[in-house]
Amino acid sequence: MSTLEIVEVPLTDRKLVERFIRVPWHIHRELYPNDHWVPPLLMDRRDYLNPRKNPFLDHADVSLWIARKHGRDVGRIAAIEDRDWRSFHGDKTGYFGMFESPDDPEVASALLSRARAWLERRGLDRMIGPMDFSTNYVCGVLLDSFDRDPGINMPYNPPWYDSLLTGRGLRRAKDLIQWAISLSTPIPPRVVRIAKKMRQRENVQVRAMSFDDWDTEVSRALEIYNGAWEKNWGFVPVGEKEFRHIAKDLKLVLHPSLPLIAEVDGEPVAFALTIMNVNPVLKKLDGKLFPFGVLRLAWDLEIANTVDSGRLILLGIREGYRRRGLDSILFLEMAERCRALGWWGGEIGWTLEDNELVNRAISNFGCEPVAHYRIYEDVFGGEPT
């Protein structure tokens, strides 16, 4: 007789939410102990699942469940109806996210079935994920490269997640690519030559976004962001309140020299954000900022200066200014500034598997794919196997 129980987790029940947040420790400390998983900050996850603090929840409904077996919390899942997706794409797609499970088909099936049924009751006919909570946040299942640390704000999971999900009837919706860059490898001279030529011809000026005028800079970036990504698979426009909330969090992991904006004749036309890789610090904290975590974080970031790499998470160009070398110009500027900080390199992405223009450009910079991730889909019309 099965001992499996699925516990619904109302967002208003902070004790159950806390249990939901802590499920990954069971997966990565007991079932798949490893040195690569980066524990999230508990305080951050509490705020993320708090409707009063996360603007995403202003336009989305979320339901959470915990899988409990043999008296232990062993898995979890979220189901998300994002009204912004429905209004932008005009279809009836929902998400699942925050998926964690042991290598146990019974647990995975029960969790996915619960999320699927919740979305179906709301009139949706398709589920994609995992996404926490949309493609504007952490998403995907790691498919390979389990022997390396993930980039900051990139997922890490045990190797069995892909087979668990496909075994439950989900299929590949889209694969994502993460790229690695080593600053010790010279950027191809042709790329450098073309970028310099285009910079002069187009009268492009690149500067760091001002922390002292951050609100205005964020407004400039938002206008570029929603236009630059609107045709990408899975994209959902971000409202001003939500974008400012994201920008406020990102500012904590931005070096002042690295949020870049490109201007043509004084008009902002492109921007790039490279965040510091603070994962080694987060590992030491093990999710806890108190009582000594704040001091340790300050020491590592400000005094010991252990950050030596980063991740280029966004590079967007306004319509009408693409194919004019702005990506190369921003990339070269980023590389020079990272070298000046003493960084060895880092990561770029993710990018969509079929975004040939972007992927070719990144490859031309001398970068190599370093990890692959997958987003799955389930089109309703029958129970998952």
Side-chain angles (χ1 to χ4, degrees):
M1 181 177 178
S2 175
T3 61
L4 178 63
E5 176 189 8
I6 303 298
V7 180
E8 187 169 1
V9 180
L11 291 177
T12 54
D13 190 326
R14 304 318 296 174
K15 288 185 178 180
L16 280 176
V17 168
E18 188 72 17
R19 284 171 53 187
F20 181 90
I21 290 170
R22 292 177 181 268
V23 169
W25 273 261
H26 171 68
I27 301 294
H28 293 281
R29 291 286 188 257
E30 299 182 42
L31 302 185
Y32 188 66
N34 63 86
D35 295 327
H36 302 295
W37 177 62
V38 181
L41 287 175
L42 293 167
M43 184 173 68
D44 174 74
R45 294 296 86 188
R46 292 170 191 138
D47 288 350
Y48 193 70
L49 293 174
N50 188 334
R52 293 175 299 168
K53 296 185 177 182
N54 187 349
F56 175 86
L57 299 173
D58 292 346
H59 58 83
D61 294 320
V62 175
S63 192
L64 312 175
W65 296 272
I66 295 170
R68 189 168 176 82
K69 197 168 188 179
H70 304 304
R72 298 287 306 278
D73 293 342
V74 298
R76 70 178 192 180
I77 200 168
I80 304 106
E81 180 189 7
D82 181 2
R83 292 181 291 277
D84 281 3
W85 172 288
R86 297 190 64 173
S87 63
F88 182 72
H89 290 276
D91 62 27
K92 299 177 180 179
T93 296
Y95 322 140
F96 76 96
M98 299 189 168
F99 176 77
E100 301 283 0
S101 175
D103 192 7
D104 184 333
E106 181 187 28
V107 171
S109 292
L111 288 169
L112 289 163
S113 294
R114 192 63 61 97
R116 184 174 181 268
W118 185 86
L119 293 170
E120 281 191 296
R121 286 197 301 271
R122 304 176 77 86
L124 305 180
D125 57 19
R126 178 173 174 253
M127 177 173 74
I128 60 175
M131 301 197 297
D132 309 341
F133 287 127
S134 74
T135 55
N136 294 313
Y137 300 90
V138 177
C139 59
V141 162
L142 180 65
L143 299 177
D144 52 22
S145 301
F146 299 104
D147 58 348
R148 64 181 295 276
D149 288 359
I152 181 171
N153 284 357
M154 292 299 292
Y156 185 86
N157 52 261
W160 61 74
Y161 278 28
D162 179 56
S163 60
L164 265 187
L165 292 170
T166 55
R168 312 283 73 71
L170 278 72
R171 62 191 184 194
R172 180 179 68 87
K174 191 70 66 175
D175 282 357
L176 316 174
I177 305 173
Q178 189 76 351
W179 302 79
I181 174 174
S182 172
L183 295 176
S184 64
T185 302
I187 297 172
R190 178 176 175 274
V191 174
V192 176
R193 186 171 61 253
I194 293 175
K196 289 184 176 180
K197 180 179 178 181
M198 296 299 292
R199 187 166 185 166
Q200 293 174 351
R201 192 177 82 180
E202 300 286 340
N203 191 26
V204 178
Q205 301 295 321
V206 179
R207 62 174 177 82
M209 298 168 67
S210 172
F211 277 15
D212 292 334
D213 193 21
W214 190 241
D215 284 348
T216 304
E217 299 283 41
V218 169
S219 295
R220 296 182 178 115
L222 173 60
E223 186 178 349
I224 298 170
Y225 178 80
N226 279 333
W229 275 270
E230 66 176 348
K231 295 180 181 178
N232 281 1
W233 180 92
F235 174 72
V236 180
V238 184
E240 183 174 354
K241 181 180 177 182
E242 185 178 354
F243 194 80
R244 290 191 181 282
H245 181 77
I246 294 171
K248 181 181 177 182
D249 288 344
L250 286 178
K251 190 177 179 183
L252 299 175
V253 288
L254 282 169
H255 189 277
S257 67
L258 283 175
L260 301 178
I261 195 157
E263 298 173 336
V264 174
D265 298 325
E267 179 187 358
V269 297
F271 79 102
L273 292 183
T274 300
I275 58 177
M276 298 184 291
N277 179 22
V278 298
N279 278 350
V281 181
L282 294 179
K283 282 186 183 183
K284 298 176 186 178
L285 300 181
D286 196 30
K288 304 177 184 69
L289 274 180
F290 302 102
F292 304 113
V294 173
L295 296 177
R296 179 178 290 166
L297 183 64
W299 173 270
D300 282 346
L301 292 181
E302 302 296 338
I303 302 173
N305 195 27
T306 60
V307 174
D308 61 0
S309 65
R311 175 185 161 214
L312 175 62
I313 59 170
L314 294 174
L315 195 159
I317 302 172
R318 191 192 298 274
E319 184 74 37
Y321 290 89
R322 295 165 196 165
R323 300 177 184 268
R324 292 164 67 171
L326 282 165
D327 52 349
S328 297
I329 292 167
L330 283 168
F331 181 86
L332 286 171
E333 186 75 23
M334 175 206 70
E336 290 173 5
R337 292 176 181 236
C338 289
R339 284 196 190 97
L341 293 174
W343 291 6
W344 61 263
E347 298 188 351
I348 297 174
W350 49 265
T351 65
L352 296 168
E353 60 177 332
D354 52 1
N355 194 335
E356 295 181 4
L357 181 64
V358 169
N359 291 336
R360 184 167 60 249
I362 295 174
S363 180
N364 288 340
F365 296 148
C367 304
E368 298 285 343
V370 70
H372 298 82
Y373 302 83
R374 179 163 293 166
I375 296 175
Y376 303 81
E377 69 173 352
D378 177 16
V379 179
F380 304 157
E383 290 296 320
T385 57

